[in-house]
Amino acid sequence: MPLPKPLLPLCLVLALAGCGWVDQWVGEEPSPEPEITGGVKLQNLTLRQTNAKGELLWLLQAAGARYRDDDRQQLEIQNLTGELKAEGKTAYKVQAKAVNVRQRDGQLWIEGRTTVTDLQQKGTIVADQLVWQGDRGVLIAQKNLQARYPQVTVTAKRLEADSQRQELRALNAVQVTSSAKEAKDLQLSTESLVWQQQPNRLLAGVIGQGGVTVRGVAGDRQGQRLQAQRAIWSISDQVVTLEGGVQVQLPNPALRVEGETVRWLIPQQQLVSDRPVRVQSSTQGIQGQANRGVFLMAENRAIFDNAQINSQPQQAQLRAQRLNWWIPQERVEASGQVEIQRPNAHLRTAQLIWRIPQQEVEAQGGVFYRQRNPRIQIQGQRAKGWLDRQEVIVSGNVQSEVPLRLRLP
């Protein structure tokens, strides 16, 4: 019986709809060969492929293999080990117990559970289906894949690791879990992800639709959720920038924040928005908006610039250049052109403290008070009032040195 021809490789044509990928592997089968009966078993097999420059694209060894007569292009390999090379240098190492292998025209296809070690980034990629495009230095993985790196773990339906651009791209049902100490167990979910490994940042939601969700799943962050159309996660300094329809849900006490751009400074436990932001506390009956906001999560405190908040229970509206809101204590400190209004009264001052549960306000500096019915206007340096009792005391540089007490209607 004549010996079979050497293994012929398979040419794979890969593309993703809209961005160079496909849902399933496709290839060009070679022309039919003469029928061969039986099978051929090989031992201590070496597979190697070079490009036009004579540079190695891969070098694989196998303890045993079988070349089957019903698939002239495929080897069943036991105990596979070897190297995947880009521009003559080893980019990845591969290891598998039992896989099917095809190769052709600078492309290698491995089907079966395989572990790939990323030598540049010191991570591992595990998947049931791999393609190595040697001329491009690109590894494509599908089926039950997981990429584990010192900084993050990534799972997805499809993944493409580009050794030359030092970039990893993931698509469909992407989950990223942080391994960093300051962001332990932080999770990011999206439909598309680009990991630029040289600047070490993740770009989520930048391809197609689907948005981004970031969750805190442990410790003080449990129940914390941030959603947006896009997100940039700088792993080096642990800053997550969310853009487009941002919604932040903070627990204990429950607080909802909305805006167009929010930066999460993870080590500092701060949320920062340099653009207009809206806030709502359903438990306190407070809604507000500001041109800029900073949330100090460790202190449960928020600072707003050029802000306005409305308290529905007290039917009161407060405006100021700077608001400092102690959220659990339900206390607001305001400064810079402060105004507080109720249906029949208006108080203007330079500084104000509002204790919301007690419905108590204290004002200092350039106090001006006015009410419509009965018509009253008065100025002073200090004021203290109780919204529920409709009572205010104005003192300092008034018509009488004795504090003036006014009963509000």
Side-chain angles (χ1 to χ4, degrees):
M1 178 183 299
L3 292 176
K5 288 187 176 182
L7 176 67
L8 294 177
L10 173 68
C11 176
L12 298 175
V13 180
L14 299 172
L16 171 65
C19 52
W21 298 46
V22 292
D23 288 336
Q24 61 184 356
W25 308 101
V26 295
E28 298 177 359
E29 293 293 342
S31 57
E33 296 288 337
E35 182 180 356
I36 298 178
T37 60
V40 176
K41 293 183 179 180
L42 306 172
Q43 291 182 341
N44 300 323
L45 177 68
T46 298
L47 299 176
R48 55 183 293 154
Q49 177 70 50
T50 60
N51 59 15
K53 299 178 182 179
E55 298 172 332
L56 273 175
L57 300 179
W58 60 81
L59 180 62
L60 307 176
Q61 294 84 34
R66 184 173 66 157
Y67 179 38
R68 299 182 57 183
D69 61 345
D70 60 346
D71 188 345
R72 299 299 310 282
Q73 306 301 309
Q74 183 169 277
L75 277 174
E76 295 180 357
I77 290 180
Q78 301 293 323
N79 298 324
L80 175 71
T81 60
E83 300 175 351
L84 307 179
K85 295 178 176 288
E87 297 180 331
K89 298 179 180 180
T90 303
Y92 305 98
K93 288 189 175 182
V94 297
Q95 185 176 5
K97 290 184 177 180
V99 291
N100 296 330
V101 176
R102 300 181 184 182
Q103 58 180 356
R104 183 175 179 179
D105 296 337
Q107 295 189 97
L108 176 73
W109 177 30
I110 303 175
E111 186 169 7
R113 200 64 175 168
T114 305
T115 299
V116 179
T117 302
D118 185 339
L119 300 182
Q120 287 182 314
Q121 303 300 326
K122 304 185 185 305
T124 59
I125 300 171
V126 182
D128 290 342
Q129 201 171 55
L130 298 170
V131 169
W132 171 242
Q133 299 179 343
D135 286 332
R136 295 177 56 210
V138 172
L139 177 71
I140 300 174
Q142 289 193 139
K143 295 186 178 180
N144 301 319
L145 71 90
Q146 184 183 73
R148 298 182 64 88
Y149 287 82
Q151 307 95 330
V152 294
T153 296
V154 181
T155 61
K157 296 293 185 181
R158 291 190 290 269
L159 181 138
E160 180 177 317
D162 192 325
S163 62
Q164 296 179 1
R165 299 179 61 179
Q166 298 186 45
E167 188 172 278
L168 186 148
R169 297 177 287 274
L171 195 67
N172 293 347
V174 183
Q175 286 272 1
V176 182
T177 303
S178 173
S179 303
K181 181 179 179 180
E182 60 270 26
K184 188 67 174 176
D185 297 325
L186 198 68
Q187 289 185 353
L188 182 149
S189 304
T190 184
E191 288 301 304
S192 64
L193 179 78
V194 178
W195 181 9
Q196 297 176 335
Q197 294 170 320
Q198 186 60 34
N200 204 15
R201 63 179 182 177
L202 301 172
L203 311 179
V206 295
I207 303 174
Q209 302 297 323
V212 180
T213 300
V214 183
R215 291 182 176 89
V217 296
D220 296 336
R221 290 189 300 269
Q222 190 169 7
Q224 184 173 285
R225 185 178 64 185
L226 299 86
Q227 294 178 296
Q229 295 176 6
R230 300 171 301 279
I232 302 173
W233 183 349
S234 176
I235 298 177
S236 300
D237 52 14
Q238 288 299 336
V239 175
V240 180
T241 302
L242 299 107
E243 300 175 342
V246 181
Q247 297 183 6
V248 180
Q249 192 71 46
L250 300 177
N252 303 322
L255 194 68
R256 182 182 178 89
V257 182
E258 297 179 348
E260 284 303 308
T261 301
V262 173
R263 287 183 294 123
W264 185 5
L265 314 181
I266 297 175
Q268 295 85 356
Q269 299 189 54
Q270 294 181 9
L271 291 172
V272 180
S273 176
D274 294 323
R275 298 182 61 184
V277 63
R278 297 174 300 278
V279 62
Q280 179 179 359
S281 172
S282 57
T283 57
Q284 298 182 20
I286 290 179
Q287 294 181 340
Q289 59 188 23
N291 288 349
R292 182 180 184 273
V294 178
F295 296 85
L296 310 174
M297 292 182 286
E299 302 178 29
N300 273 326
R301 181 163 62 97
I303 301 174
F304 301 115
D305 289 339
N306 296 320
Q308 171 183 310
I309 64 172
N310 300 307
S311 174
Q312 297 299 327
Q314 286 79 33
Q315 293 184 307
Q317 181 183 89
L318 175 64
R319 291 192 298 269
Q321 291 180 322
R322 171 65 62 93
L323 286 179
N324 199 332
W325 181 15
W326 302 85
I327 302 171
Q329 295 83 0
E330 301 185 50
R331 186 177 84 248
V332 177
E333 298 177 2
S335 60
Q337 300 181 11
V338 183
E339 294 183 62
I340 186 167
Q341 289 182 309
R342 296 192 72 244
N344 191 44
H346 178 200
L347 176 66
R348 187 170 68 241
T349 183
Q351 296 180 351
L352 181 135
I353 297 176
W354 182 13
R355 299 179 180 90
I356 298 175
Q358 296 81 13
Q359 302 190 40
E360 179 184 271
V361 295
E362 291 183 11
Q364 184 172 348
V367 175
F368 173 81
Y369 175 78
R370 179 181 63 200
Q371 70 179 39
R372 291 195 300 269
N373 187 21
R375 183 176 177 83
I376 298 173
Q377 291 188 16
I378 191 167
Q379 299 182 25
Q381 290 301 311
R382 293 173 300 278
K384 187 172 183 177
W386 296 265
L387 300 179
D388 57 338
R389 290 153 51 181
Q390 297 184 323
E391 186 175 305
V392 63
I393 299 173
V394 180
S395 62
N397 296 330
V398 291
Q399 293 182 355
S400 173
E401 293 183 0
V402 179
L404 180 64
R405 180 183 297 269
L406 299 174
R407 185 73 180 180
L408 303 183

